[in-house]
Amino acid sequence: MANPTVDEETPLLFESSGRVKRTPLPTWQLAIVLLILLCEPFTGNSIFPYINQAKLGITGGDDRKVGYYAGLIESLFYVTEAMTTLQWGRISDRIGRKPILLIGLVGNALSMVCFGLSRTFWMLVISRCLCGFLNGNIGVLKSVIGELTDSTNRADGFAYISVVWSVGATIAPVIGGSLSHPHERFPIVFTSNFWREFPYFLPSFAIATFSFVCLLITLLLFNEASNSLCLIQTPPYQNMHTLPRHHKQHVSAPFSGDDKPLPIHKLFTYPVVLSVCNYFCISLMDIAFFSLLPLFMSTPVELGGLGCSPATIGYVLGALGAYIGIVQIALFPKLVRRFGERRIFIMSVLTITINSLLLPVISGNIRKNGVTWMICCLFAFALSLRAVTIMSYGCIFVYVNTSSPNKSSLGATNGIAQTVVSVARAIGPGLATSLFALSLQKNLLGGYAVYTFLFLFSCISLLFAVRLPHQVWDKS
């Protein structure tokens, strides 16, 4: 029997069967991107176990005031990042992603060294501001992942962002809690007075060293993806020119020379605005809740906290990060393919609502009965819900990247999103920890005003979440 004629009009097998084969992820380039991303939670989360103890004589001995200053330090990075991240994104659309990533890594390393050498509160302020000004990496990295993936593997690619962030959240608090005050924890090795004068230099230097290693890897091995053919190869075809006409629409197209970056005012389309609003809401709630965790754990039992040491806080947050990372890599892509980004995102918002009701219940029971096994179980359950909360980021990353008016404006679109989110993350820690401290000092709503705010804002966020389309923007 003669073979049937096969030409460019012949339908492909996977199209006729109604199934689209998933494109393999570009493993090597994606690994470098995720390694760079790891620097972000390292820089931000390593200070959580000891920032509440780094008072530097500004609280006057009143432990109830720690929340004000700890929240300010945690927020400063995001305040300064909000001022520059949009410009870093726009510049990356024009000169490429790699130079911006290198500048961000230099900023990470330099700021952490300054943080470790700080003797005063204002030196801590300057070091965190320096990190924010020089760092536009988060938004740029999301653009890179958007360029490395297509509609068939997008959920898998963006799932790794949350996984890597969780890995960083696992390791960074352990580094911060274990390596702080080395003259006390390792007196045989760290005998110099230097370690007494700078008790937080060792964890800061460890993070700075990692950023420097990532800088060298990026400089030598990272390849640009923008303004060139997509790095993803789709077997059995080797390039776009050999693909049949009806197959080209199913893979990531190369950037067009006529596809120029749009001015800022033309980027504020309905899909961009709605996606960014949802990103703002979930980020504000998540960073506020996460900032409360170490403060809640370090607060004395008589004030409704758990009374944990910095090392214990580091281990708990580290274990939480490991758990979240495992859940993300094992379940997130499957859940998205089964239920869709919208349903997962709405469920993630609901977990914040639940936790805002759980924490005051836990605190009230601690004040009456102390830390009991029931309290530990309730707190563990509240922490376990964060695995679902973190899934919201993978979902909203997809919405933001598919909302871009064109691919040459992808960096600017992510820059807008990261600017707004930086504002949220700047407001979140300071607002949450200050409300926590104010609630205790003034006994506002029985000391639980901060949880009331979190509950009300989560309800407002649900109104934005339900307006997202059932399919992401490029499919809607």
Side-chain angles (χ1 to χ4, degrees), residues 77-88:
F77 167 77
Y78 299 109
V79 171
T80 51
E81 184 186 50
M83 299 178 183
T84 58
T85 188
L86 174 57
Q87 300 308 319
W88 287 127

Side-chain angles (χ1 to χ4, degrees), residues 46 49-50 170-186 190 199-200 202-203 309-315:
S46 63
Y50 57 78
T170 302
I171 302 173
V174 175
I175 294 174
S178 301
L179 299 184
S180 62
H181 295 279
H183 63 287
E184 296 177 0
R185 300 181 63 84
F186 314 103
F190 300 95
Y200 310 117
L202 186 60
S309 66
T312 302
I313 294 172
Y315 294 137

Side-chain angles (χ1 to χ4, degrees), residues 435 439 444-454:
L435 271 177
S439 299
L444 298 178
L445 298 178
Y448 305 128
V450 62
Y451 306 116
T452 304
F453 166 79
L454 201 59

Side-chain angles (χ1 to χ4, degrees), residues 181-346:
H181 295 279
H183 63 287
E184 296 177 0
R185 300 181 63 84
F186 314 103
I188 298 177
V189 179
F190 300 95
T191 58
S192 172
N193 286 331
F194 174 84
W195 304 108
R196 296 179 183 274
E197 296 179 14
F198 303 100
Y200 310 117
F201 178 76
L202 186 60
S204 299
F205 182 74
I207 301 301
T209 301
F210 181 80
S211 295
F212 181 74
V213 172
C214 291
L215 172 69
L216 295 179
I217 293 174
T218 305
L219 181 65
L220 298 175
L221 301 176
F222 180 70
N223 297 320
E224 288 279 2
S226 59
N227 299 320
S228 61
L229 288 176
C230 184
L231 292 176
I232 302 172
Q233 293 185 3
T234 310
Y237 304 104
Q238 296 301 312
N239 56 64
M240 293 290 296
H241 299 291
T242 62
L243 290 174
R245 285 198 307 266
H246 55 278
H247 184 67
K248 290 182 182 180
Q249 60 184 336
H250 294 284
V251 301
S252 295
F255 286 94
S256 171
D258 299 328
D259 199 16
K260 297 181 180 180
L262 297 175
I264 292 296
H265 68 276
K266 290 188 177 181
L267 296 178
F268 289 95
T269 60
Y270 177 77
V272 172
V273 171
L274 182 59
S275 301
V276 170
C277 284
N278 277 281
Y279 193 9
F280 172 86
C281 291
I282 193 64
S283 297
L284 178 61
M285 292 187 296
D286 181 54
I287 193 66
F289 179 77
F290 190 73
S291 298
L292 286 175
L293 287 181
L295 190 56
F296 181 82
M297 286 188 279
S298 65
T299 298
V301 174
E302 56 269 19
L303 295 177
L306 296 174
C308 299
S309 66
T312 302
I313 294 172
Y315 294 137
V316 170
L317 295 181
L320 175 63
Y323 156 73
I324 292 174
I326 293 172
V327 172
Q328 290 293 309
I329 195 68
L331 298 179
F332 176 73
K334 296 177 182 178
L335 290 175
V336 167
R337 283 191 286 270
R338 174 66 179 83
F339 298 105
E341 289 87 354
R342 182 177 181 270
R343 289 180 181 176
I344 301 299
F345 185 81
I346 293 174

Side-chain angles (χ1 to χ4, degrees), residues 278-292 345 348-350 352-353 386 389 392-393 424-425 428 432 453-462:
N278 277 281
Y279 193 9
F280 172 86
C281 291
I282 193 64
S283 297
L284 178 61
M285 292 187 296
D286 181 54
I287 193 66
F289 179 77
F290 190 73
S291 298
L292 286 175
F345 185 81
S348 300
V349 176
L350 286 173
I352 299 288
T353 308
R386 277 191 58 77
T389 304
S392 63
Y393 288 107
R425 289 174 174 167
F453 166 79
L454 201 59
F455 172 78
L456 292 176
F457 193 81
S458 68
C459 294
I460 296 173
S461 300
L462 281 172

